[in-house]
Amino acid sequence: MTGNKIIFGFLIMSFLIGCRQEAKATHTLSTQDSLQVKNSSKEAISTLKEFYFSMYGNDADNEDLKKKYVSERVLKRIESLTSNPENLILDYDPFIKGQDYDANIIRKTLEIKPLNKRNEYRASFLLFGGTDEKRTNVDLLLKQNQEGDFLIDAILNDDHLNFVESGLTTKEDSNFDGYKLIQEIKTDINQDGKQDIISIYGTDWNKEIKPTDSKLFKVTVRLNDGSNFLTYTNSKIILPYFPDNVASGFSDIKVKNNYFTVEQANGQGNFIEKSFTTFKYDHSKNGIFLHKYSTITTDRNSGDEKEIKSEYSEKDFGKITFAEFNPDTIIKK
């Protein structure tokens, strides 16, 4: 009996020692992880300071600097938002949230602090140093590339560049390779008090344009549910634009209440067709459906200009969702 007690006591002591060693190992591991995070944070803050001091501190080529400190997806998004002077969507510098600034003031007042989530940081500074001027805050998401360098991968408090609010997730980005933003409208299409986004994306010409080349288009609608965006996409609404098109192609988006219309004009030879594709958000079905499709065709073949009008409504084509719409199907019906 006494022997059993000794063995039992030995087992208890072994167990307790093992637990202490495991706890010590866990504590050591936790300390190492914490040290890595701390070192990583220091490196990230240092990178952001280098970025702001370089971008707003000398006469270097800002485009080259951006490539060094900014990820490709952010650069592509900025390019798409600034490529059309007639429809300039991003008319300010998103890294300072303004157009004008005093570089010396930015450098003197710059502060970089980590936010609550890992790899998220706030750059805070004054633009001009005025007495009553409030600090400008730019919240940035960083990521490390294959070489271990930190890159700015999103501007979290910018509607166009946060990549969550715009609905451009990594998966969706891959479907938009080669496309740039042409037009974007912010509106409450489902009238729930939250801002939704309707966007037009298009490809560009090849360097040497061939008759068989064409510009392709996608239309997206992003419905805001308060925490994320539900995205609908259709690549058939706007017809491909060929080099011999004698009309303007995609023209405009018009919005009224829970309706929006995509306008375009396409033509070849003596024929020009204007089309108006109207969708509506149906509250009863909680979705976007085709409301009306109409065309105006101008025929100049006979020497006299003749207009042929056609209009199709839900009575003709039934219930067609935004994603399913195809003008060829409508015309055949």
Side-chain angles (χ1 to χ4, degrees), residues 200-248:
I200 307 293
Y201 295 89
T203 60
D204 217 335
W205 297 117
N206 294 317
K207 289 183 179 179
E208 295 181 7
I209 303 174
K210 300 175 183 177
T212 54
D213 288 345
S214 65
K215 290 185 178 182
L216 305 176
F217 302 87
K218 293 179 188 283
V219 183
T220 68
V221 180
R222 300 181 177 97
L223 298 181
N224 187 347
D225 68 4
S227 60
N228 212 328
F229 278 72
L230 180 62
T231 303
Y232 300 85
T233 304
N234 189 310
S235 57
K236 292 185 170 60
I237 296 171
I238 302 174
L239 298 177
Y241 189 89
F242 292 91
D244 61 351
N245 195 335
V246 295
S248 60

Side-chain angles (χ1 to χ4, degrees), residues 16 21 47 75 148 151 159 163 185 244 254 264 296 300:
L16 291 173
Q21 288 176 340
T47 298
L75 293 175
L151 298 174
D159 288 347
F163 294 91
I185 293 177
D244 61 351
K254 297 288 176 59
Q264 60 184 308
I296 302 173
R300 296 192 183 94

Side-chain angles (χ1 to χ4, degrees), residues 270 272 296-308:
N270 291 319
I272 293 179
I296 302 173
T297 304
T298 303
D299 180 2
R300 296 192 183 94
N301 263 332
S302 61
D304 296 327
E305 193 170 289
K306 187 193 302 182
E307 279 192 351
I308 304 166

Side-chain angles (χ1 to χ4, degrees), residues 52 62 97 101 114 127 135 160 198 234 242 274 286-287:
Y52 276 96
N62 280 4
K97 289 185 171 291
Y101 60 89
L127 290 173
R135 294 184 73 85
H160 299 294
I198 303 172
N234 189 310
F242 292 91
K274 295 179 180 179
N286 196 29

